[in-house]
Amino acid sequence: MSSFPLVTHPRAQDILAYGPAGPITVAHFLADVRQLAADLPPGRHVLNVCVDRYRFAVGVAAALLADKISLLPPTLTPEMMRQVKHFAPDVFCLADQPQAFDLPQLAWTGAQAAAAAAADAASATYDVPDIPAARTAAIVFTSGSTGTPVAHPKSWGGLVRSVRAEAARLGLLDGRRHSIVATVPPQHMFGFESSVLLALQSGSALSAAHPFYPADICAVLAQSPRPCLLVTTPLHLKVLLAAGLDIPAPDLVLSATAPMPPQLALAVEARLQAPLFEIYGSTETGMIATRRTTQTTEWSLFPGVALSVSQGRTWASGGHVESPMPMADELELLSSERFLLHGRSADLINIAGKRSSLDYLNHQLNAIPGVIDGAFFMPAEHDDVSVTRLMAFAVAPGMKASTLLAALRQRIDAVFIPRPLVLLAALPRNSTGKLPRDALQALASRHQRQGTPHAI
């Protein structure tokens, strides 16, 4: 197809979002989009930092309508902002809250479109814009978990084909319109596709909220109409279950950004009485596969997507993947439609001739009773003489480092025991639960310089 509609809801009065003031119709959304598109500054690149998920969606749609490109960096640090400005000197910031960025800013809260929305809602016509499939909708940056963020353009057609395949796989096209609650920010690739575009392209309704803490997640779930899809991460789910709250059960749970431990998947389904699916993909490819973790270790590819091995790497192509892309993970191909995930290629480590992966070591650390969060880290080697040693950081209130190390020795080979093991109050995770490598490197450098009484 040469173009795709901005939304697929069949009627102007269908609900597209739930905001603080109540339901928001498609007619209201389209009126907001058209007014904001007319008000956007001349710059071609939009840094959309709206916290409210509905306002973010309006910003993305308005940029599409005005043939502008939404920039979605992984963080909003001063260094990242310098990189964004260098990448796109004409960039301006669209925000619904005051920001301290050294960029031209357009404040937008949606209130100014109320009259236009009312007029549009009263109209007998329902005019949904068609967007050219080849139009660049967004430029998404890698998370930086393995190095410097890299920009990846995303066409409107590629994004639409991706989320429609996701909607079909999750059963969202069976006529029941889901409400979508997400704990991940809309600026992240997973949140962008699964909490914003998925609603626009499946007839569903997104929640404007961005709940993070367990009590907030429970409150938003309680207010959301059924059926309800919870879009989240393993970290959010682990903390949610540990909070001991009465959790309003969603009808479906979708997780991504990190592998889901099988024990956690079983606990989630037992507690929430809802099926849990994982999405597999990357910033480079978008979503390409799913699995129901309690039932299989195998991943099922989206229709049209294929994996192949070339030059010692696994490549994804076909379907919505617009050009062949190398995967950063170790994948075992089982058939043309299924594969196993063995961890990130960059996570594989070899010490004294013994191989393991950071993902496996992290799993063993986090499986120790009393550990709330933990991560191993392998510093970069600076020469061929000195021995680079693994480090680990853990959040384990009331535990001593010696006790934790003794438990680790029961689970992993002695060559992978971390030196040092550092106990912390919290790990420097970002809003999607990821630990960027530069954040771990800074943490490691600080403890290597200063030392700590909690390290062994």
Side-chain angles (χ1 to χ4, degrees):
M1 295 178 63
S2 60
S3 65
F4 291 97
L6 184 61
V7 297
T8 59
H9 300 68
R11 294 173 295 273
Q13 294 310 304
D14 287 339
I15 304 303
L16 183 137
Y18 292 94
I24 301 170
T25 65
V26 178
H28 190 152
F29 171 75
L30 293 177
D32 277 343
V33 168
R34 290 189 171 101
Q35 179 160 338
L36 180 59
D39 292 341
L40 291 176
R44 182 89 193 283
H45 296 88
V46 185
L47 177 66
N48 188 337
V49 298
C50 290
V51 176
D52 181 289
R53 202 174 305 271
Y54 170 74
R55 295 170 186 164
F56 173 88
V58 171
V60 168
L64 270 170
L65 209 60
D67 195 15
K68 298 181 187 295
I69 301 171
S70 296
L71 300 185
L72 306 178
T75 66
L76 299 178
T77 62
E79 175 56 30
M80 190 71 242
M81 291 302 95
R82 283 192 287 271
Q83 292 185 38
V84 166
K85 196 169 183 179
H86 177 76
F87 177 83
D90 66 344
V91 65
F92 63 91
C93 177
L94 178 67
D96 58 357
Q97 296 180 5
Q99 301 291 338
F101 307 142
D102 182 24
L103 294 174
Q105 294 190 30
L106 174 64
W108 188 79
T109 62
Q112 61 265 46
D120 192 76
S123 171
T125 62
Y126 178 39
D127 183 18
V128 177
D130 273 331
I131 307 298
R135 178 168 295 175
T136 300
I139 295 177
V140 186
F141 296 78
T142 55
S143 66
S145 56
T146 58
T148 303
V150 178
H152 293 276
K154 301 292 176 179
S155 73
W156 175 241
L159 290 169
V160 168
R161 286 190 288 269
S162 174
V163 297
R164 288 187 179 181
E166 177 188 25
R169 180 64 59 85
L170 297 176
L172 301 190
L173 303 180
D174 62 1
R176 298 189 307 158
R177 294 185 175 86
H178 285 64
S179 59
I180 301 176
V181 174
T183 65
V184 291
Q187 288 83 3
H188 182 269
M189 189 66 181
F190 175 44
F192 181 44
E193 289 185 308
S194 297
S195 74
V196 176
L197 299 182
L198 181 61
L200 302 186
Q201 293 296 314
S202 71
S204 299
L206 62 89
S207 168
H210 180 193
F212 183 83
Y213 296 105
D216 298 328
I217 297 172
C218 291
V220 176
L221 286 174
Q223 297 165 3
S224 299
R226 305 285 295 271
C228 177
L229 165 64
L230 176 62
V231 177
T232 188
T233 71
L235 179 64
H236 285 110
L237 288 170
K238 182 177 181 180
V239 174
L240 178 62
L241 295 191
L245 300 174
D246 183 13
I247 307 170
D251 297 87
L252 188 63
V253 181
L254 184 66
S255 176
T257 75
M260 172 71 66
Q263 300 93 326
L264 179 57
L266 288 166
V268 169
E269 289 201 356
R271 180 77 172 276
L272 300 184
Q273 292 295 295
L276 180 147
F277 288 85
E278 282 188 273
I279 284 282
Y280 174 78
S282 66
T283 301
E284 296 87 342
T285 63
M287 306 170 289
I288 64 169
T290 62
R291 70 176 179 183
R292 185 170 175 185
T293 315
T294 58
Q295 296 185 352
T296 181
T297 58
E298 299 178 3
W299 295 87
S300 298
L301 288 165
F302 282 173
V305 177
L307 296 177
S308 60
V309 178
S310 176
Q311 303 171 359
R313 302 186 68 178
T314 302
W315 294 69
S317 61
H320 63 272
V321 183
E322 297 177 284
S323 60
M325 295 296 300
M327 305 303 295
D329 296 311
E330 291 290 321
L331 306 181
E332 179 184 345
L333 309 189
L334 303 178
S335 70
S336 61
E337 299 175 348
R338 294 179 177 271
F339 65 92
L340 293 174
L341 171 64
H342 295 303
R344 295 187 70 84
S345 301
D347 285 350
L348 298 179
I349 52 178
N350 188 323
I351 298 178
K354 296 185 177 182
R355 290 166 56 87
S356 188
S357 71
L358 293 178
D359 181 59
Y360 173 80
L361 296 175
N362 289 341
H363 171 72
Q364 296 302 326
L365 175 58
N366 283 279
I368 297 172
V371 175
I372 296 175
D373 196 8
F376 275 75
F377 177 69
M378 174 64 87
E381 296 184 6
H382 296 292
D383 54 56
D384 297 327
V385 178
S386 60
V387 177
T388 302
R389 294 188 178 277
L390 276 169
M391 302 178 67
F393 305 94
V395 180
M399 292 186 70
K400 295 181 179 180
S402 57
T403 304
L404 197 49
L405 284 169
L408 267 178
R409 290 190 180 96
Q410 301 299 312
R411 292 175 168 271
I412 64 176
D413 193 286
V415 300
F416 300 116
I417 294 296
R419 294 177 176 81
L421 168 65
V422 182
L423 296 181
L424 301 170
L427 296 186
R429 294 186 180 274
N430 62 22
S431 56
T432 62
K434 287 191 174 185
L435 278 170
R437 181 173 174 83
D438 58 354
L440 278 175
Q441 180 64 67
L443 195 60
S445 299
R446 183 161 66 251
H447 285 281
Q448 286 171 332
R449 288 195 308 268
Q450 299 176 351
T452 172
H454 300 292
I456 288 184

Coordinates of all heavy atoms in Angstrom, one line a residue, residues 365 375-377 389-394 399-409 412 414-424 447-448 450-456:
L365 N 22.0 -14.2 39.9 CA 22.0 -13.3 41.0 C 20.7 -12.8 41.5 O 20.4 -12.8 42.7 CB 22.8 -12.0 40.5 CG 22.9 -10.8 41.5 CD1 23.6 -11.2 42.8 CD2 23.7 -9.7 40.9
A375 N 22.9 -6.8 38.9 CA 23.5 -6.8 37.6 C 25.0 -7.1 37.7 O 25.7 -6.5 38.5 CB 23.2 -5.6 36.8
F376 N 25.5 -7.9 36.7 CA 26.9 -8.1 36.6 C 27.4 -7.0 35.5 O 26.6 -6.6 34.7 CB 27.2 -9.5 36.0 CG 27.4 -10.5 37.1 CD1 26.2 -11.0 37.7 CD2 28.6 -11.0 37.5 CE1 26.3 -12.0 38.7 CE2 28.7 -12.0 38.5 CZ 27.5 -12.5 39.1
F377 N 28.7 -6.8 35.6 CA 29.3 -5.8 34.7 C 30.7 -6.3 34.4 O 31.5 -6.6 35.3 CB 29.3 -4.4 35.3 CG 30.0 -3.4 34.4 CD1 29.4 -3.0 33.2 CD2 31.2 -2.8 34.7 CE1 30.0 -2.0 32.4 CE2 31.8 -1.9 33.9 CZ 31.2 -1.5 32.7
R389 N 38.3 -8.2 35.6 CA 37.5 -9.0 36.5 C 36.0 -8.5 36.4 O 35.8 -7.3 36.3 CB 38.0 -8.9 37.9 CG 39.4 -9.5 38.1 CD 39.7 -9.6 39.6 NE 41.0 -10.2 39.8 CZ 41.2 -11.5 39.9 NH1 40.2 -12.4 39.7 NH2 42.4 -12.0 40.1
L390 N 35.2 -9.5 36.5 CA 33.7 -9.1 36.6 C 33.4 -8.4 37.9 O 34.0 -8.6 38.9 CB 32.9 -10.4 36.6 CG 32.6 -11.1 35.3 CD1 32.0 -12.5 35.5 CD2 31.6 -10.2 34.5
M391 N 32.5 -7.4 37.8 CA 31.9 -6.8 38.9 C 30.5 -7.1 39.0 O 29.9 -7.5 38.0 CB 32.1 -5.2 38.8 CG 33.6 -4.8 38.7 SD 33.7 -3.0 38.5 CE 33.1 -2.4 40.1
A392 N 29.9 -6.9 40.1 CA 28.4 -7.0 40.3 C 27.9 -6.0 41.3 O 28.6 -5.6 42.2 CB 28.0 -8.4 40.7
F393 N 26.6 -5.6 41.0 CA 26.0 -4.6 41.9 C 24.6 -5.3 42.3 O 23.9 -5.8 41.4 CB 25.8 -3.3 41.2 CG 27.0 -2.7 40.7 CD1 27.4 -2.9 39.3 CD2 27.8 -1.9 41.5 CE1 28.6 -2.4 38.9 CE2 29.0 -1.4 41.0 CZ 29.4 -1.6 39.7
A394 N 24.3 -5.1 43.5 CA 23.0 -5.7 44.0 C 22.3 -4.9 45.0 O 22.9 -4.1 45.7 CB 23.3 -7.1 44.6
M399 N 21.1 -7.8 53.7 CA 22.0 -8.9 53.4 C 23.4 -8.3 53.5 O 23.7 -7.1 53.1 CB 21.7 -9.5 52.1 CG 20.5 -10.3 52.0 SD 20.3 -11.2 50.4 CE 21.5 -12.5 50.6
K400 N 24.4 -9.1 53.8 CA 25.8 -8.8 53.7 C 26.4 -9.3 52.4 O 25.9 -10.3 51.8 CB 26.6 -9.4 54.9 CG 26.2 -8.9 56.3 CD 27.1 -9.6 57.3 CE 26.7 -9.1 58.7 NZ 27.5 -9.7 59.8
A401 N 27.4 -8.6 51.9 CA 28.0 -9.0 50.7 C 28.6 -10.4 50.8 O 28.5 -11.2 49.8 CB 29.1 -8.0 50.3
S402 N 29.1 -10.8 51.9 CA 29.7 -12.1 52.1 C 28.6 -13.2 52.0 O 28.8 -14.3 51.4 CB 30.4 -12.2 53.5 OG 29.5 -11.9 54.5
T403 N 27.4 -12.9 52.5 CA 26.3 -13.9 52.4 C 25.9 -14.0 51.0 O 25.6 -15.2 50.5 CB 25.1 -13.4 53.3 OG1 25.5 -13.2 54.6 CG2 24.0 -14.4 53.2
L404 N 25.8 -12.9 50.3 CA 25.4 -13.0 48.9 C 26.4 -13.7 48.0 O 26.0 -14.5 47.1 CB 25.2 -11.5 48.4 CG 24.4 -11.3 47.1 CD1 23.1 -12.0 47.2 CD2 24.2 -9.8 46.9
L405 N 27.7 -13.5 48.3 CA 28.7 -14.2 47.5 C 28.7 -15.7 47.8 O 28.9 -16.5 46.9 CB 30.1 -13.7 47.9 CG 30.5 -12.3 47.3 CD1 31.7 -11.8 47.9 CD2 30.7 -12.5 45.8
A406 N 28.4 -16.1 49.0 CA 28.3 -17.5 49.4 C 27.2 -18.2 48.6 O 27.3 -19.3 48.1 CB 28.1 -17.7 50.9
A407 N 26.0 -17.4 48.5 CA 24.9 -18.0 47.7 C 25.2 -18.1 46.2 O 24.9 -19.0 45.5 CB 23.7 -17.1 47.9
L408 N 26.0 -17.1 45.7 CA 26.4 -17.1 44.3 C 27.3 -18.3 44.0 O 27.2 -18.9 42.9 CB 27.1 -15.8 43.9 CG 26.3 -14.7 43.4 CD1 27.2 -13.4 43.1 CD2 25.6 -15.1 42.1
R409 N 28.2 -18.7 45.0 CA 29.1 -19.8 44.7 C 28.3 -21.1 44.6 O 28.9 -22.1 44.0 CB 30.1 -19.9 45.9 CG 31.1 -18.7 45.9 CD 32.2 -19.0 46.9 NE 33.2 -17.9 46.9 CZ 33.2 -16.9 47.7 NH1 32.2 -16.8 48.7 NH2 34.1 -15.9 47.6
I412 N 27.0 -20.4 40.4 CA 27.9 -20.1 39.3 C 29.3 -20.6 39.5 O 29.7 -20.8 40.6 CB 27.9 -18.6 38.9 CG1 28.5 -17.8 40.0 CG2 26.5 -18.2 38.6 CD1 28.6 -16.3 39.7
A414 N 33.3 -20.7 39.9 CA 34.1 -19.8 40.7 C 34.8 -18.7 39.9 O 35.0 -17.6 40.4 CB 35.1 -20.6 41.5
V415 N 35.1 -19.0 38.6 CA 35.7 -18.0 37.8 C 34.9 -16.8 37.5 O 35.4 -15.7 37.1 CB 36.3 -18.6 36.4 CG1 37.2 -19.7 36.7 CG2 35.1 -19.0 35.6
F416 N 33.5 -16.9 37.7 CA 32.6 -15.8 37.4 C 32.2 -15.1 38.7 O 31.3 -14.2 38.6 CB 31.4 -16.3 36.6 CG 31.7 -17.0 35.3 CD1 31.5 -18.3 35.1 CD2 32.3 -16.2 34.3 CE1 31.8 -18.9 33.9 CE2 32.6 -16.8 33.1 CZ 32.4 -18.2 32.9
I417 N 32.7 -15.5 39.8 CA 32.4 -14.7 41.0 C 32.9 -13.3 40.9 O 34.1 -13.1 40.6 CB 33.1 -15.4 42.3 CG1 32.4 -16.8 42.5 CG2 32.9 -14.6 43.5 CD1 31.0 -16.8 42.8
P418 N 32.0 -12.3 41.1 CA 32.4 -10.9 40.9 C 33.4 -10.4 42.0 O 33.3 -10.7 43.2 CB 31.1 -10.2 41.0 CG 30.2 -11.0 41.9 CD 30.6 -12.4 41.6
R419 N 34.3 -9.6 41.5 CA 35.3 -8.9 42.5 C 35.5 -7.5 41.9 O 36.1 -7.3 41.0 CB 36.6 -9.7 42.5 CG 36.5 -11.1 43.1 CD 37.8 -11.8 43.0 NE 37.8 -13.1 43.7 CZ 37.3 -14.2 43.1 NH1 36.9 -14.1 41.9 NH2 37.3 -15.3 43.8
P420 N 34.8 -6.5 42.6 CA 34.0 -6.6 43.8 C 32.5 -6.9 43.6 O 32.0 -6.8 42.4 CB 34.1 -5.3 44.4 CG 34.2 -4.3 43.2 CD 34.9 -5.1 42.2
L421 N 31.8 -7.2 44.6 CA 30.4 -7.2 44.7 C 30.0 -6.0 45.5 O 30.4 -5.9 46.7 CB 29.8 -8.5 45.3 CG 28.4 -8.6 45.7 CD1 27.5 -8.4 44.4 CD2 28.0 -9.8 46.5
V422 N 29.2 -5.1 45.0 CA 28.8 -3.9 45.6 C 27.3 -3.9 45.9 O 26.5 -4.1 45.1 CB 29.2 -2.7 44.7 CG1 28.9 -1.4 45.5 CG2 30.6 -2.7 44.3
L423 N 27.0 -3.6 47.2 CA 25.6 -3.5 47.6 C 25.2 -2.0 47.5 O 25.9 -1.1 48.0 CB 25.4 -4.0 49.0 CG 25.7 -5.5 49.2 CD1 25.4 -5.9 50.7 CD2 24.8 -6.3 48.3
L424 N 24.0 -1.8 46.9 CA 23.5 -0.4 46.7 C 22.1 -0.3 47.1 O 21.4 -1.3 47.3 CB 23.6 -0.1 45.2 CG 25.0 -0.1 44.5 CD1 24.9 0.0 43.0 CD2 25.9 1.0 45.1
H447 N 33.2 3.2 42.0 CA 33.6 2.3 43.1 C 35.0 1.8 43.0 O 35.6 1.5 44.0 CB 32.6 1.1 43.1 CG 31.3 1.5 43.7 ND1 31.0 1.6 45.0 CD2 30.1 1.9 43.1 CE1 29.8 2.0 45.2 NE2 29.2 2.1 44.1
Q448 N 35.5 1.8 41.8 CA 36.9 1.4 41.6 C 37.9 2.5 42.2 O 38.9 2.2 42.8 CB 37.3 1.1 40.1 CG 36.7 -0.2 39.6 CD 36.8 -0.3 38.1 OE1 36.8 0.7 37.4 NE2 36.9 -1.5 37.6
Q450 N 36.9 4.9 44.5 CA 36.7 5.2 45.9 C 36.7 4.0 46.8 O 37.0 4.1 48.0 CB 35.3 5.9 46.1 CG 35.2 7.2 45.3 CD 33.8 7.8 45.3 OE1 32.9 7.1 45.8 NE2 33.7 9.0 44.9
G451 N 36.4 2.8 46.3 CA 36.2 1.6 47.1 C 35.0 1.8 47.9 O 34.4 2.9 48.0
T452 N 34.5 0.8 48.6 CA 33.3 0.9 49.4 C 33.4 -0.2 50.5 O 33.8 -1.3 50.3 CB 32.1 0.7 48.6 OG1 30.9 0.6 49.4 CG2 32.1 -0.6 47.7
P453 N 32.9 0.1 51.7 CA 32.8 -0.9 52.8 C 31.9 -2.1 52.5 O 31.9 -3.1 53.1 CB 32.4 -0.1 54.0 CG 31.6 1.0 53.4 CD 32.3 1.4 52.2
H454 N 31.0 -1.9 51.5 CA 30.0 -2.9 51.2 C 30.5 -3.8 50.0 O 29.7 -4.6 49.5 CB 28.7 -2.3 50.8 CG 28.1 -1.4 51.9 ND1 27.7 -2.0 53.1 CD2 28.0 -0.1 52.0 CE1 27.2 -1.0 53.9 NE2 27.4 0.1 53.3
A455 N 31.7 -3.6 49.6 CA 32.2 -4.4 48.4 C 33.2 -5.4 48.9 O 34.0 -5.3 49.9 CB 32.9 -3.5 47.4
I456 N 33.1 -6.6 48.2 CA 34.1 -7.7 48.5 C 34.7 -8.1 47.2 O 34.0 -8.3 46.3 CB 33.4 -8.9 49.2 CG1 33.0 -8.5 50.7 CG2 34.3 -10.1 49.3 CD1 32.4 -9.6 51.4

